[in-house]
Amino acid sequence: MAASITATPPTESDTTALRRLYFLRFAFAAIWAVLIFATAHTLSPLSAALLVLYPLFDVACAVVDIRSARANRGPVRGLYANVALSTLTAAGLVAAAASGIPAVLRVWGAWAVTAGAVQLIVGALRRRRGMAGQWPMILSGAISTLAGASFVAGAAQADASLGSLAGYAFLGGVFFLISALRLGRARRAD
């Protein structure tokens, strides 16, 4: 299998589609972070809906990414894992929202750890395949795993808040922005 990953270099359409997707993910994360930060200390119907929307948006983005990667013979296994993890997380967040902020932080933390590991692996495979702009994705995946552990730990605090999720989402969006810019720079260099 490793030979098929390195044998097919990424095409311009592969990087263009991924670049657009990364810009979209940045914009969504930035807007979502502002909205969740505004409701960080309460678990209202709005904040609960926003919490469930985030992993569902991640599923939609992963599906777009899978289609693009498949068309360009890129690695997709990790992307399928991401779809499954994010779908389970959305369902878990629906249930956790009824139990309060600590439960939400535990579910989100578990997702951040597992999805971060998947993101790190997908970024490493794409980099090995010769695709530019993957170091930010690798770094973001590693940070996500650490952040996830901190969310789980933060759930035990008396003043648990959703505010840390806003920062996490925004930072993740910044990594998508950096990666999109790096993909654009690499495309112009060709």
Side-chain angles (χ1 to χ4, degrees):
M1 178 171 112
S4 68
I5 293 170
T6 57
T8 309
T11 66
E12 184 175 334
S13 66
D14 192 15
T15 57
T16 300
L18 198 56
R19 186 170 186 249
R20 277 191 214 125
L21 182 64
Y22 286 177
F23 277 128
L24 176 64
R25 291 188 76 137
F26 164 72
F28 178 84
I31 293 166
W32 185 91
V34 168
L35 293 173
I36 206 70
F37 188 75
T39 62
H41 293 289
T42 61
L43 195 52
S44 67
L46 173 61
S47 60
L50 287 168
L51 290 165
V52 173
L53 178 63
Y54 198 94
L56 291 177
F57 181 78
D58 194 59
V59 168
C61 289
V63 168
V64 169
D65 202 350
I66 287 167
R67 288 180 181 160
S68 175
R70 248 198 206 151
N72 294 291
R73 295 181 303 244
V76 295
R77 281 188 187 156
L79 296 170
Y80 283 120
N82 187 47
V83 167
L85 288 169
S86 295
T87 302
L88 288 172
T89 299
L93 287 169
V94 168
S99 298
I101 291 175
V104 166
L105 290 174
R106 285 184 197 99
V107 170
W108 196 282
W111 178 45
V113 168
T114 55
V118 169
Q119 183 179 12
L120 190 152
I121 291 165
V122 169
L125 289 173
R126 283 180 168 163
R127 184 176 185 287
R128 193 169 113 196
R129 188 173 161 238
M131 183 177 283
Q134 294 308 300
W135 274 115
M137 294 296 92
I138 293 167
L139 183 58
S140 177
I143 291 170
S144 182
T145 59
L146 296 174
S150 75
F151 298 146
V152 172
Q157 296 179 2
D159 62 344
S161 164
L162 301 174
S164 58
L165 301 184
Y168 167 79
F170 185 75
L171 180 61
V174 168
F175 278 112
F176 278 114
L177 176 62
I178 292 167
S179 193
L181 295 172
R182 289 181 57 92
L183 281 169
R185 191 174 345 140
R187 195 179 80 217
R188 284 190 299 276
D190 290 338

